Amino acid sequence: MKLSIIDKDILITLYKKGYSNQRNLMKDSGYSLGSVNKSLGILSNAGFLDSKMMITQKAIKFIKDLSPKNAIILAAGYGMRMVPINTETPKGLLTVDGEPLVERTIKHLHDIGITDISIVVGFMMESYDYLVDKYDVKMIYNNEYAFKNNLHSLSLAAERIDRTYIVPCDIWSESNPFSAQECYSWYMVSDLADSDSWIRVNRKAELVRLENDKDSGSRMIGVSYVCGNEAEKLREKLLDMSQKTMYHDSFWEEAAFEGNKMFLNAKVVKEGTVTEINTFEQLRALDSDSKNLANEAMDVAASTLGAEISDIKNITVLKKGMTNRSFLFFCRDSKYIMRIPGEGTDNLIDRKKEAAVYKALEGKGICDDNVYMNPENGFKITRFIEGARNCDPKNQKDLEICMKKLRDFHDMKLSVPHTFDIFERAEYYKSLWGTDKSVYCDYEDTRAKVISLKDYIQKQKIEMTLAHIDAVPDNFMIIEGEKGKEPRVLLIDWEYAGMQDKYVDLAMFAIYALYDRAEIDNLIDTYFAVGGEKADEDIRTRIYAYVSICGFLWSNWCEYKRGLGVDFGDYSLRQYRYAKDFYKLVQERINE
């Protein structure tokens, strides 16, 4: 006879507390008197209860064969929603009441007899190493944490999934959420509706995908228990899906679905019973004295704005940039964006030079004005611009207004004391690899060809001026004006700016937008057309040369970032292709 989830829950309750009467069993199990009465009959018929409602040896064996024997803790990710805390502390080591979250989880597992614990680590993995000595845990290293989600993390531990708790590293619960006795597979959600969730509990107490993005789902806590057939099924799906590129950004829960239904049962707990701490504000609400709240970035923001840290609210991580991390926050009814430099940025950006650029731009109406900027550590605060959006490089109207802004900036002929030498920078980025070799087999040949373009560039009549260098579509902010008025455009993020040929900015725009040759030609024509001119063919060739050189520059940059665990997928390869393809094109045009 097949037992329902209710039957199994009541069986576990009887195992732990014994039987006195149906009303007490109703109270202990949380099910109605009718459900209790029905389950007792089913359990008796199955041979799990004797005539006195005491559990039998058959029942004890059934429970023991399905009860937990190990646990996997997932701790590899950045915890991007924890910005700005995640720049200093990995999320599993955030403290509540002086105790790191992951240690509390480990102690709860030990309390029920689970000492076989594996932790999948990635970001700031060294910080977790002490746990090996303190708790005898096993470490599994995810070196691809920067560009693969936790489906990949769990796949690295797939062979260990068998009567297993799967636990995110950033949960906190006042009481122990685990049990020494389990007899079915489940996934934990809270009874609170959550607009960010993509699953919900249906009327049959099953977990299903949301059919409408506008609906709220059940808040996902992420703690789960997997045993029996479900453990085998999950192992197989994880190993299969982790090999497919389409799942690199997926959560492990995707592997627990068959069609639109999860094959793990719903375990619904009261909101707050078990809490997954995803944000600065959630941590603050749980423990306002947590030492992790004493964060340098938060201190700077509060001090700059003449506020208390408690005045900083609604912290939202922005899209992770290629160089920095940034977050949006409210402070006294105003919105601000704070920039925090990313991994290895101190080797890439000279913040004092950046400060000199902003000084030259001050009051020119070209960029957003800084509320705060520290040339020592790169922290920057700007006011949030309501109604702003990025340039769409595929939209000709956007392209025209942004090229007009870029041309107006170039025509100002501003100057700063430093130069951005694209050849020198390309070689410098390569030097940051150390003894590592390029991932490209023909790298040295490509490098020699690109460097040879230096002779061609030096023969051109170049008027050096302040150039943005990173004038990519994402750095053009378009603010729609009132009806009938032209939009306003700001050019932001001047980290790489320096003296250079202004046409380098066109090449940079093109290769970030991943333009093909026809689109690059249209970009060049548009830039000159907004100034009432027609592009000179010699200048067009020069811009093609910059496409090659800049593609090589950013390819080297991407290889350096890859060594830090940050991968940009096919963007890196596309830059390398620009280096090769446009070198050939320039040679053809020169020979002609």
Side-chain angles (χ1 to χ4, degrees):
M1 181 180 294
K2 187 175 181 180
L3 301 182
S4 70
I5 298 302
I6 296 176
D7 300 332
K8 292 176 181 178
D9 281 341
I10 289 175
L11 179 61
I12 291 291
T13 303
L14 289 167
Y15 181 94
K16 292 179 177 179
K17 298 198 173 184
Y19 179 80
S20 56
N21 58 60
Q22 288 193 18
R23 290 199 174 275
N24 284 338
L25 184 55
M26 175 185 72
K27 181 180 177 181
D28 292 338
S29 68
Y31 289 107
S32 69
L33 192 60
S35 295
V36 167
N37 188 296
K38 181 180 178 181
S39 286
L40 288 175
I42 292 172
L43 293 171
S44 296
N45 291 335
F48 286 168
L49 298 177
D50 61 20
S51 59
K52 296 181 179 180
M53 295 297 155
M54 304 296 290
I55 63 172
T56 63
Q57 287 300 314
K58 179 181 179 181
I60 292 172
K61 183 179 186 304
F62 173 78
I63 293 172
K64 286 186 175 180
D65 286 348
L66 292 172
S67 289
K69 67 178 184 180
N70 64 15
I72 298 168
I73 299 174
L74 301 176
Y78 282 113
M80 285 302 295
R81 287 182 289 175
M82 287 305 306
V83 68
I85 298 176
N86 68 335
T87 61
E88 299 176 359
T89 307
K91 58 182 180 177
L93 296 181
L94 298 175
T95 62
V96 173
D97 296 330
E99 182 179 41
L101 296 174
V102 71
E103 287 199 45
R104 187 172 183 81
T105 294
I106 292 170
K107 289 174 184 176
H108 278 155
L109 289 166
H110 283 188
D111 287 345
I112 64 158
I114 300 300
T115 57
D116 182 0
I117 302 171
S118 303
I119 303 181
V120 186
V121 295
F123 176 62
M124 296 182 73
M125 61 180 69
E126 297 84 0
S127 300
Y128 291 101
D129 184 69
Y130 80 98
L131 298 172
V132 175
D133 303 297
K134 189 171 183 178
Y135 297 105
D136 194 29
V137 300
K138 303 173 183 66
M139 289 289 184
I140 299 174
Y141 302 100
N142 177 3
N143 294 318
E144 299 178 286
Y145 67 89
F147 55 97
K148 291 185 180 180
N149 213 328
N150 68 12
L151 185 147
H152 177 68
S153 287
L154 189 55
S155 75
L156 298 176
E159 64 181 29
R160 306 185 187 198
I161 298 176
D162 179 20
R163 293 157 53 192
T164 303
Y165 281 114
I166 300 170
V167 192
C169 67
D170 54 356
I171 65 160
W172 185 89
S173 58
E174 187 171 356
S175 59
N176 196 332
F178 311 115
S179 173
Q181 291 82 37
E182 302 277 5
C183 59
Y184 61 88
S185 300
W186 50 260
Y187 181 87
M188 187 181 289
V189 296
S190 87
D191 59 2
L192 184 71
D194 186 351
S195 59
D196 291 329
S197 178
W198 50 278
I199 64 175
R200 65 178 178 86
V201 181
N202 66 12
R203 292 179 180 177
K204 297 180 181 179
E206 299 168 323
L207 289 165
V208 295
R209 292 182 189 275
L210 278 182
E211 297 176 355
N212 190 331
D213 291 340
K214 296 180 180 179
D215 294 337
S216 291
S218 303
R219 175 163 291 179
M220 302 165 68
I221 296 174
V223 180
S224 62
Y225 179 70
V226 190
C227 62
N229 293 333
E230 292 83 13
E232 182 178 354
K233 195 180 298 184
L234 183 61
R235 283 197 305 271
E236 292 175 355
K237 292 197 71 177
L238 284 167
L239 292 172
D240 175 59
M241 294 169 71
S242 66
Q243 300 302 312
K244 299 175 180 177
T245 304
M246 62 185 292
Y247 295 113
H248 283 181
D249 197 39
S250 295
F251 294 101
W252 77 262
E253 287 88 347
E254 288 283 359
F257 271 86
E258 288 183 330
N260 287 324
K261 186 170 74 173
M262 191 181 268
F263 55 73
L264 308 180
N265 295 283
K267 182 170 185 175
V268 182
V269 298
K270 187 176 180 181
E271 175 62 20
T273 305
V274 183
T275 303
E276 185 177 14
I277 302 175
N278 286 320
T279 67
F280 180 96
E281 289 176 280
Q282 286 176 330
L283 177 61
R284 182 164 60 189
L286 194 60
D287 180 10
S288 61
D289 296 321
S290 173
K291 68 178 184 180
N292 301 114
L293 298 176
N295 175 269
E296 182 183 6
M298 295 296 289
D299 289 342
V300 167
S303 175
T304 300
L305 300 174
E308 299 294 329
I309 288 181
S310 58
D311 293 326
I312 297 175
K313 301 176 180 178
N314 299 332
I315 300 168
T316 306
V317 64
L318 298 178
K319 180 182 177 182
K320 186 182 176 187
M322 299 184 74
T323 303
N324 306 301
R325 297 195 186 103
S326 298
F327 65 95
L328 174 70
F329 66 93
F330 279 80
C331 184
R332 296 175 177 173
D333 299 324
S334 293
K335 284 186 187 179
Y336 301 89
I337 293 175
M338 184 165 191
R339 178 191 75 187
I340 301 174
E343 296 81 5
T345 304
D346 53 338
N347 288 324
L348 301 173
I349 306 296
D350 186 323
R351 297 298 176 185
K352 292 181 180 178
K353 291 180 178 178
E354 180 190 16
V357 169
Y358 276 107
K359 185 68 175 175
L361 297 171
E362 193 173 349
K364 301 290 192 302
I366 300 169
C367 65
D368 50 337
D369 291 328
N370 295 326
V371 175
Y372 170 87
M373 182 172 179
N374 187 328
E376 300 298 327
N377 60 17
F379 285 3
K380 184 174 71 141
I381 300 174
T382 56
R383 290 188 182 276
F384 178 75
I385 305 169
E386 293 287 354
R389 62 177 177 84
N390 298 121
C391 169
D392 178 0
K394 301 293 184 180
N395 182 302
Q396 183 62 26
K397 180 64 176 177
D398 277 10
L399 191 61
E400 289 171 3
I401 61 176
C402 289
M403 287 304 101
K404 184 178 186 307
K405 183 69 176 183
L406 184 62
R407 178 148 189 161
D408 288 346
F409 156 62
H410 288 158
D411 289 345
M412 289 180 182
K413 298 181 180 180
L414 302 176
S415 65
V416 291
H418 62 275
T419 300
F420 188 94
D421 185 326
I422 49 180
F423 291 100
E424 181 274 330
R425 287 287 92 182
E427 290 298 291
Y428 172 68
Y429 295 158
K430 179 182 182 299
S431 74
L432 295 177
W433 306 349
T435 58
D436 293 342
K437 292 184 177 180
S438 172
V439 295
Y440 302 108
C441 297
D442 60 350
Y443 175 82
E444 288 302 332
D445 178 61
T446 301
R447 175 172 170 246
K449 289 177 178 177
V450 172
I451 291 175
S452 73
L453 291 174
K454 188 173 185 178
D455 289 337
Y456 163 75
I457 293 297
Q458 288 178 336
K459 292 175 183 177
Q460 308 306 306
K461 293 181 180 180
I462 296 173
E463 181 183 5
M464 298 288 277
T465 187
L466 177 60
H468 188 286
I469 304 300
D470 198 23
V472 302
D474 284 356
N475 285 335
F476 285 89
M477 300 299 294
I478 300 174
I479 305 100
E480 299 294 344
E482 297 178 7
K483 190 173 182 181
K485 292 185 177 180
E486 283 292 310
R488 188 162 63 98
V489 180
L490 295 177
L491 190 47
I492 65 172
D493 291 350
W494 296 76
E495 295 170 299
Y496 295 94
M499 301 300 285
Q500 185 47 265
D501 185 346
K502 60 187 177 184
Y503 298 127
V504 167
D505 282 346
L506 294 183
M508 292 295 192
F509 187 101
I511 65 176
Y512 186 88
L514 303 180
Y515 277 170
D516 59 24
R517 182 181 173 183
E519 289 171 317
I520 291 175
D521 282 334
N522 179 62
L523 171 70
I524 296 169
D525 292 339
T526 300
Y527 176 86
F528 282 93
V530 296
E533 299 177 340
K534 186 175 181 181
D536 179 275
E537 288 306 306
D538 288 338
I539 291 178
R540 190 182 301 272
T541 302
R542 192 157 103 212
I543 295 171
Y544 288 162
Y546 287 138
V547 168
S548 173
I549 300 162
C550 294
F552 180 71
L553 170 88
W554 294 129
S555 175
N556 281 359
W557 182 90
C558 286
E559 291 211 57
Y560 166 61
K561 297 289 275 189
R562 184 184 290 113
L564 298 174
V566 182
D567 194 285
F568 297 108
D570 68 343
Y571 174 84
S572 177
L573 176 58
R574 296 285 291 272
Q575 299 308 303
Y576 190 67
R577 286 259 34 118
Y578 279 126
K580 296 202 293 187
D581 293 345
F582 276 78
Y583 168 81
K584 293 178 185 176
L585 179 58
V586 170
Q587 292 304 317
E588 290 171 4
R589 289 174 68 90
I590 290 174
N591 292 335
E592 289 174 0

